[in-house]
Amino acid sequence: MASLRSRLTAAVMVPLLALAVTFGGITCWMIQRSGAATSDRILVGSVRLLSRATDTEDAVRDKVLPLAVHLLQRRSAPVTHYSIWDGAELIAGERGLVPPPLYDTRTGRATQRLPAASFPRTYRNTPLTGGYVDPRDADGVVQPGYLRDGMLGGKPVRIATEIRRLHRNGHAVVVQVADFVDDRWAYQQTYFLRVLGAGVLIAMTAVLLFYWAITWGLRPFASLTGQIETARREPPPQFRLALEEDAPREARLLAGSFNALLARTERAVDSLKQFTANASHQMRTPLAVVRVHLDVLERYGPASPRGAAALEDIGNAVLSLERLLLQLIALARTEEQGIAEDATFDLAAVAADLVASRIDQPGSDGLDIGFEAPDHGALLARGHPILAAEMIGNLFDNAVRYNRPGGAVTVRVLHRAGRARIEVEDDGPGIAPQDRERVFERFYRARSESGAGGSGPPGSGLGLSIVRALAERMGAQVRLEPGTDGRGVLASIDFAAPPSPDDRNDEHAIDARPEAQQFALATAC
């Protein structure tokens, strides 16, 4: 299995090598074109030099012509292949380099005139006359120097040809200089090999440099992989990935997501363990009640007074067991799931709907239930409306259940110090000061402020635990204080202020309603 380092190196080097091959091909093509143009320039220049040397007096020509041929010799072409024909007579050079078809050897005349050889203009762009800088040198030129392909000694050659009428006798002579094509190719091939060698060297260096650079860049991810491998062999109690201070942002995001996933998994496992322990501990009493009263029913029958009382107790036990299970599930889901804090809702509307739906619930008969809300409309708070209703509902149920006969329950919606606040106040026996924090613990049943304990209404001891857990998820604060004139309990929740318009953007605006609805369905089913 290929490593990430090898895959990245291949991903980088394949296009780089493709570019290198393309660049090398373009370079070789330019070398070939440049080399061919240079050789053609040399051929044309050579034929013009021999043509000027030929058009001299006989005494001078015999000395100048060998000197001109000697000047044409170079490293790439140590032997100059040339010929000078006057009609059918070879004046100098190689007999195998015959005149071109446009030259009639019988009459010594050119049958047609071809355009002179041309090359790309240079930056100086000097004007020429018949291929010569000095117009006097072009005097007598019948056919300016041009290029053609031919054969010499059975091998392909490139030939430069010029026809000039001699001043001394008026004869039109053909001057030719040839260059073997395979010599040109051999000369160009040396440069092709140099380009290839340079490309291979650059490619090898690039592979090493890229491999080192990718290894350095992936070092944080290699560290993460090593930590995970070590933890897989020897699992620690609480494993978390750790990175250096200068680790890149991508590695930090990966480590943070992995650690968050581990934390959530651990939280879910702990919640499951706690749920199992709590359920097995709290369900024993109602199940024992049901089992005992089932024995009574079997012994006395449902028509007997004892059987009727047993049926009533069984119904109460089932209701208690149902409420206990719902609260355990709610508490477990609250611990397992993180709740977003950037959604807003109208606290006044949520509280009003909840009070209206529970004003006729069992146990509220004879109680004075009131609701107070500001007159200026909506009161926005940060959080989820369904989860906020769950918290307010638990506080309202406690105020009703633990109140005195003929007592009062008041629900208030306030705006304090820029934050939305809900208060649920009753005038019942209250909670002893030493128990006002402990009531948020699971299954803790508080004594009343008057000192009575153990004789209150039945309950699971989970309602306030759920309220605090939900409040922590939404950034809210829950407090229990004495009521008016020191009577009863004043339970309050201060919700976080809603985000300002500048803080809202499309990237972070998360609609948490599906998660909240899932939570509500789990607690209501």
Side-chain angles (χ1 to χ4, degrees):
M1 182 179 296
S3 64
L4 179 60
R5 183 185 308 154
S6 301
R7 291 172 65 91
L8 289 176
T9 303
V12 172
M13 289 306 303
V14 167
L16 181 62
L17 291 177
L19 289 175
V21 170
T22 303
F23 180 76
I26 294 174
T27 303
C28 292
W29 175 79
M30 293 179 63
I31 290 174
Q32 190 273 333
R33 292 296 298 269
S34 178
T38 301
S39 298
D40 287 346
R41 285 178 182 272
I42 294 175
L43 282 178
V44 173
S46 300
V47 78
R48 289 170 181 168
L49 177 63
L50 290 182
S51 177
R52 288 290 299 125
T54 303
D55 192 18
T56 56
E57 297 180 359
D58 293 341
V60 178
R61 185 189 62 183
D62 294 338
K63 297 180 180 179
V64 171
L65 189 59
L67 180 60
V69 172
H70 178 72
L71 292 176
L72 296 180
Q73 294 177 353
R74 58 191 188 277
R75 184 177 182 182
S76 59
V79 177
T80 302
H81 304 280
Y82 73 100
S83 66
I84 304 174
W85 292 84
D86 184 0
E89 180 185 358
L90 178 66
I91 299 177
E94 299 183 28
R95 184 170 296 276
L97 194 57
V98 297
L102 61 85
Y103 182 73
D104 189 351
T105 57
R106 292 174 301 174
T107 62
R109 295 180 180 180
T111 58
Q112 61 177 331
R113 182 182 176 91
L114 299 179
S118 61
F119 301 96
R121 295 182 178 182
T122 61
Y123 73 97
R124 194 179 297 274
N125 195 22
T126 304
L128 300 178
T129 301
Y132 291 91
V133 176
D134 191 345
R136 292 174 297 179
D137 295 334
D139 184 24
V141 173
V142 177
Q143 170 62 57
Y146 72 98
L147 293 165
R148 64 185 177 91
D149 296 323
M151 298 293 293
L152 178 62
K155 297 172 62 177
V157 290
R158 185 75 164 162
I159 305 172
T161 304
E162 182 174 288
I163 302 177
R164 174 185 289 272
R165 189 174 302 278
L166 302 179
H167 289 86
R168 62 178 180 273
N169 55 17
H171 293 180
V173 297
V174 177
V175 181
Q176 299 182 113
V177 178
D179 191 8
F180 285 107
V181 175
D182 56 355
D183 289 342
R184 287 189 177 191
W185 170 248
Y187 181 73
Q188 294 172 1
Q189 193 175 20
T190 57
Y191 288 95
F192 295 161
L193 293 177
R194 292 176 185 178
V195 172
L196 177 62
V200 172
L201 180 62
I202 292 175
M204 294 176 59
T205 305
V207 169
L208 295 177
L209 291 178
F210 274 114
Y211 191 81
W212 174 84
I214 292 174
T215 301
W216 176 82
L218 293 179
R219 185 174 58 184
F221 296 95
S223 174
L224 296 179
T225 304
Q227 295 179 47
I228 295 175
E229 184 65 22
T230 302
R232 188 178 64 86
R233 292 194 301 265
E234 301 177 359
Q238 287 187 339
F239 172 68
R240 294 292 185 273
L241 293 176
L243 286 173
E244 300 177 354
E245 292 294 333
D246 58 345
R249 182 173 60 90
E250 291 78 5
R252 290 188 174 277
L253 290 175
L254 177 61
S257 300
F258 185 84
N259 290 339
L261 179 62
L262 284 181
R264 184 171 180 177
T265 303
E266 292 173 358
R267 197 163 57 243
V269 172
D270 292 341
S271 178
L272 179 61
K273 291 180 180 179
Q274 189 67 33
F275 174 81
T276 304
N278 293 338
S280 62
H281 177 268
Q282 292 296 318
M283 291 172 62
R284 292 176 183 175
T285 300
L287 289 176
V289 171
V290 172
R291 185 169 57 249
V292 170
H293 287 83
L294 285 175
D295 292 339
V296 172
L297 283 174
E298 291 178 358
R299 180 176 299 181
Y300 297 99
S304 63
R306 291 187 177 182
L311 284 175
E312 183 179 359
D313 291 340
I314 289 175
N316 293 333
V318 171
L319 290 176
S320 176
L321 182 60
E322 180 184 10
R323 180 172 180 80
L324 173 64
L325 286 175
L326 290 177
Q327 289 187 328
L328 285 173
I329 293 172
L331 188 61
R333 284 188 173 273
T334 302
E335 292 178 346
E336 178 184 352
Q337 298 180 355
I339 300 173
E341 299 179 359
D342 54 1
T344 58
F345 66 98
D346 184 0
L347 178 60
V350 170
D353 292 341
L354 185 133
V355 173
S357 64
R358 300 200 181 188
I359 195 169
D360 294 329
Q361 72 179 16
S364 61
D365 299 339
L367 294 179
D368 182 12
I369 299 177
F371 178 74
E372 300 175 3
D375 297 332
H376 51 75
L379 183 59
L380 296 181
R382 178 179 293 185
H384 300 298
I386 297 178
L387 303 184
E390 178 72 19
M391 292 191 292
I392 300 172
N394 278 328
L395 296 181
F396 185 83
D397 291 343
N398 285 345
V400 171
R401 185 181 298 112
Y402 296 101
N403 210 326
R404 63 182 175 83
V409 176
T410 303
V411 179
R412 301 186 190 91
V413 180
L414 308 172
H415 191 271
R416 295 284 181 84
R419 303 180 69 178
R421 182 175 188 177
I422 183 77
E423 292 182 351
V424 180
E425 183 179 5
D426 66 77
D427 57 356
I431 301 176
Q434 63 271 21
D435 290 335
R436 286 175 189 156
E437 277 299 319
R438 295 198 62 189
V439 292
F440 292 104
E441 299 176 5
R442 299 179 183 182
F443 308 112
Y444 183 78
R445 302 294 303 281
R447 297 171 297 173
S448 65
E449 193 168 3
S450 61
S455 60
S460 62
L462 290 175
L464 291 177
S465 297
I466 294 174
V467 172
R468 172 157 286 184
L470 290 175
E472 290 176 353
R473 296 299 185 272
M474 291 197 295
Q477 296 178 355
V478 183
R479 284 191 295 271
L480 297 180
E481 300 171 344
T484 305
D485 298 331
R487 298 184 59 185
V489 177
L490 174 62
S492 63
I493 305 176
D494 290 322
F495 291 90
S500 62
D502 294 338
D503 296 335
R504 293 176 176 269
N505 53 66
D506 294 338
E507 181 179 358
H508 297 89
I510 302 173
D511 184 4
R513 287 178 293 175
E515 182 181 357
Q517 291 173 357
Q518 181 184 11
F519 179 86
L521 291 174
T523 59
C525 62

